[in-house]
Amino acid sequence: MSGEPAMATPMLACTGIDKRFGAFKVLNAVDFSVSSGEAVGIVGPNGAGKTTLFGVLAGAIPPSGGLVHYRGVDLGGAGAAARCRAGIARTHQVPRPFLGLSVFENTITAAQFGAGLTGRAAADAAAEALERTALLHHANRPAAALGLLDRKRLELARALATGPRVILLDEIGGGLTEAELGLLIALIGRLKTDGLTIVWIEHILHALLKVIDRLVCMSAGTVIAAGHPDTVMADPEVRRAYLGGNIA
């Protein structure tokens, strides 16, 4: 028997992911993984393929090649709904609430259709998600009346109401003031402390660094560096990829 410790199975992993849209290759042999309870940040210039990778992981976009595994199981052709019920939730760059519904109605809808809950279980899941995101006092407010920070909190609450093990955050900090961003960072930090596995795409690097354990940099559809955030951001290839961009 080997004296080496067994490697834990990643919570979510993809190997050799390719994605083409016609002749245009958006993802090229992407390997990525995140362990249970880990927070991983993904950075890269616009057009690097970050959001497309999220679409593949979440099941919204079928890959042209490669595999996605969740808790060691090949997800195959499972779509977004099946992956959500399995425990993979995501948010979007631009919040997408049902504007004609209340905050609570938005969240219970996610619990019902995202997690398959009914009755009291769905209501409890919605209330818990709103409490975790500091929105419970807005439960009866129309979603259309919310400001940007609260719309982002609602986007997060709807994802949490599905009971995820993994949450994919797509530029959730964009457009916020520094004060608002601080509140959101604290919220995401609490989710990590609670044991949620987090993958976070973000251009605001200082926000990521307050939460993440590991950083991945993508450029032109490939992963060019991964590891400790300081090491990744000191990598000459990463800095070249960011020329003209903001790495502060």
Side-chain angles (χ1 to χ4, degrees):
M1 289 179 62
S2 169
E4 303 240 347
M7 296 293 289
T9 300
M11 177 63 78
L12 183 64
C14 63
T15 53
I17 292 295
D18 291 333
K19 181 59 189 178
R20 296 179 182 84
F21 293 99
F24 185 55
K25 198 166 192 178
V26 180
L27 297 175
N28 183 20
V30 172
D31 294 338
F32 170 83
S33 68
V34 58
S35 300
S36 177
E38 187 181 24
V40 176
I42 301 181
V43 296
N46 290 332
K50 306 182 297 296
T51 294
T52 300
L53 176 61
F54 262 23
V56 170
L57 293 173
I61 299 174
S64 304
L67 300 172
V68 178
H69 286 82
Y70 172 62
R71 303 175 68 195
V73 177
D74 179 7
L75 290 175
R83 295 189 192 195
C84 183
R85 292 207 178 188
I88 302 170
R90 72 168 294 183
T91 67
H92 295 85
Q93 293 180 28
V94 178
R96 301 176 178 180
F98 298 109
L99 297 177
L101 301 182
S102 71
V103 168
F104 182 78
E105 288 168 338
N106 265 274
T107 312
I108 197 172
T109 298
Q112 291 168 330
F113 291 93
L117 301 177
T118 59
R120 184 58 181 267
D124 287 348
E128 180 183 355
L130 292 176
E131 184 171 15
R132 293 175 79 183
T133 53
L135 277 178
L136 195 55
H137 63 296
H138 286 318
N140 294 321
R141 225 180 146 191
L146 298 179
L148 181 59
L149 174 60
D150 285 336
R151 286 197 185 197
K152 287 177 179 285
R153 283 172 165 159
L154 178 55
E155 182 83 354
L156 188 52
R158 294 198 305 167
L160 291 174
T162 67
R165 292 173 179 264
V166 179
I167 191 162
L168 310 175
L169 305 176
D170 194 352
E171 295 193 38
I172 196 168
L176 298 178
T177 67
E178 280 299 315
E180 291 171 335
L181 185 60
L183 294 172
L184 194 64
I185 291 168
L187 169 57
I188 296 169
R190 288 193 297 272
L191 296 178
K192 180 177 183 293
T193 299
D194 289 343
L196 190 62
T197 303
I198 297 169
V199 185
W200 185 2
I201 294 172
E202 189 59 73
H203 283 292
I204 308 169
L205 186 59
H206 71 82
L208 278 180
L209 295 179
K210 294 182 185 301
V211 176
I212 63 170
D213 304 301
R214 189 161 50 91
L215 187 63
V216 173
C217 183
M218 294 181 65
S219 180
T222 65
V223 174
I224 61 172
H228 188 278
D230 291 344
T231 303
V232 170
M233 294 314 300
D235 187 299
E237 188 175 0
V238 171
R239 299 189 74 84
R240 280 195 296 272
Y242 266 111
L243 283 176
N246 179 19
I247 63 171

